[in-house]
Amino acid sequence: MTSARILIVEDEANIRRFVGIALQDEGFQVFEADNIKRALIHAASRQPDLVIVDLGLPDGDGKQLISELRGWMTVPILVLSARDREEEKVAALDAGADDYLVKPFGVPELLARIRAQLRRHVQSGTAAVTSKVTFGMIEVDLATHEVRREGQSVHLTPIEYRLLCALVRGQGRVMTHRQLLLEVWGLDYIDRAHYLRVHMAHLRQKLEADAAQPQHFITELQVGYRLVGL
């Protein structure tokens, strides 16, 4: 466990260095990123066993990063933030974080929480998955947001891409209309099933060999959709 790979995502260099040294002293392999873009690159290439995330990053909120990582990683995510309001903690945990530690913090507590998360992860038998997902002739790189069909780049709108990612995260399970509307559009849109039908049709047109007879984006009548072939 002490040789586990840990990615630290923190824009304050002093804190990043301090945490990195403390982890290296315990035998962990440490990688560092100071923004969301670099964090996604490191997460895809380094395949860390645990990620530490600050919420105040220069190119976006850390919760955004957590949500993106949760699209293709199952490793523990520990938030390390000065934000101590309950709403922030709940939002980060809802986004996919496993634990939340408020700054300032003690190194012994940080190390104890890291060890606890790594133990749970090993015991659960889960592991990081690759950022690249393939089904049929389609390849999706969840780290770079690239989508290819038969080797050719396919342009998806932001909504189409979020819908695709939601179905990928479902891993072949049926995703209800409500689940997809909530995940892609938000709470205010859960009664607008026609949004879902329109964008699902667009996905099929762009990614299926025959949109009229889809092989991957399957309709579960009056329930929702699922992605097959993963």
Side-chain angles (χ1 to χ4, degrees):
M1 187 181 295
T2 54
S3 62
R5 301 178 301 277
I6 298 180
L7 171 60
I8 303 170
V9 187
E10 167 66 65
D11 65 324
E12 293 188 36
N14 290 339
I15 295 178
R16 197 169 62 245
R17 243 186 333 262
F18 171 70
V19 173
I21 290 170
L23 296 180
Q24 288 171 338
D25 286 346
E26 292 295 311
F28 294 110
Q29 298 180 52
V30 175
F31 308 103
E32 300 179 7
D34 59 2
N35 59 37
I36 291 175
K37 182 178 179 180
R38 290 193 181 92
L40 288 169
I41 293 171
H42 279 310
S45 60
R46 305 289 190 175
Q47 293 288 288
D49 299 299
L50 182 142
V51 182
I52 297 174
V53 177
D54 179 29
L55 295 184
L57 298 171
D59 55 346
D61 193 284
K63 294 188 290 294
Q64 174 190 341
L65 172 61
I66 293 168
S67 295
E68 292 215 29
L69 292 176
R70 273 291 168 254
W72 50 279
M73 298 187 81
T74 61
V75 300
I77 298 176
L78 169 63
V79 171
L80 199 57
S81 175
R83 302 178 188 176
D84 59 359
R85 292 186 304 153
E86 182 179 0
E87 311 91 85
E88 287 286 353
K89 296 178 183 179
V90 170
L93 294 169
D94 282 345
D98 297 281
D99 201 357
Y100 195 113
L101 186 58
V102 176
K103 300 174 184 175
F105 58 90
V107 170
E109 182 178 5
L110 173 63
L111 293 173
R113 292 188 184 221
I114 288 172
R115 287 192 292 265
Q117 290 298 331
L118 290 173
R119 278 197 305 271
R120 291 190 192 105
H121 185 61
V122 170
Q123 290 166 0
S124 72
T126 58
V129 299
T130 177
S131 64
K132 292 185 178 180
V133 176
T134 302
F135 54 97
M137 301 301 292
I138 307 302
E139 183 180 277
V140 183
D141 191 323
L142 297 163
T144 64
H145 294 193
E146 291 180 295
V147 180
R148 294 181 177 276
R149 176 183 168 188
E150 297 183 350
Q152 300 298 312
S153 180
V154 178
H155 172 72
L156 298 182
T157 67
I159 289 290
E160 290 165 0
Y161 181 76
R162 289 204 296 272
L163 179 56
L164 174 60
C165 288
L167 291 165
V168 168
R169 284 193 291 271
Q171 297 183 331
R173 299 192 306 272
V174 177
M175 302 289 288
T176 68
H177 298 134
R178 182 184 176 87
Q179 286 174 323
L180 290 170
L181 287 164
L182 186 62
E183 193 165 337
V184 178
W185 283 274
L187 187 60
D188 293 338
Y189 294 82
I190 56 175
D191 295 323
R192 303 186 186 183
H194 62 285
Y195 280 33
L196 194 52
R197 289 194 297 272
V198 169
H199 288 280
M200 183 62 71
H202 291 167
L203 267 186
R204 285 170 170 161
Q205 289 167 1
K206 293 181 178 182
L207 299 180
E208 292 278 9
D210 182 354
Q213 297 183 349
Q215 301 298 307
H216 302 293
F217 299 95
I218 305 301
T219 300
E220 296 293 338
L221 196 58
Q222 297 182 333
V223 177
Y225 300 91
R226 62 189 174 98
L227 180 62
V228 302
L230 290 172

